[in-house]
Amino acid sequence: MLDGVTTALLRTILEEVCENVSPYDAGVRAYVASKILEAATRGETRPDLLRQIGQEALSKAPTMWR
């Protein structure tokens, strides 16, 4: 389970990465969030790397979601 500080960091990074994604495009946001969360549960907490993981996930999100 992630602590409150880490959870807040993940939310902030998700919002930064998805700033140009429509709030109605929940599929893309969920996909990016899942990739960021996977990294965090493996122990990654460096904001720069989590942001990079999120940006890579955004670029690889299935096109049916975009």
Side-chain angles (χ1 to χ4, degrees):
M1 180 131 181
L2 301 172
D3 62 37
V5 173
T6 303
T7 301
L9 172 65
L10 299 181
R11 286 178 195 242
T12 299
I13 290 172
L14 178 63
E15 291 305 316
E16 288 174 4
V17 170
C18 292
E19 68 182 344
N20 294 321
V21 175
S22 168
Y24 301 106
D25 205 347
V28 170
R29 296 175 75 80
Y31 181 77
V32 173
S34 72
K35 296 303 180 183
I36 294 170
L37 184 58
E38 282 177 18
T41 56
R42 289 191 310 263
E44 185 55 63
T45 58
R46 292 178 294 171
D48 59 328
L49 187 55
L50 290 170
R51 195 171 293 107
Q52 179 182 348
I53 290 166
Q55 290 168 341
E56 287 174 10
L58 180 60
S59 72
K60 294 178 181 177
T63 56
M64 65 182 251
W65 290 347
R66 288 192 248 163

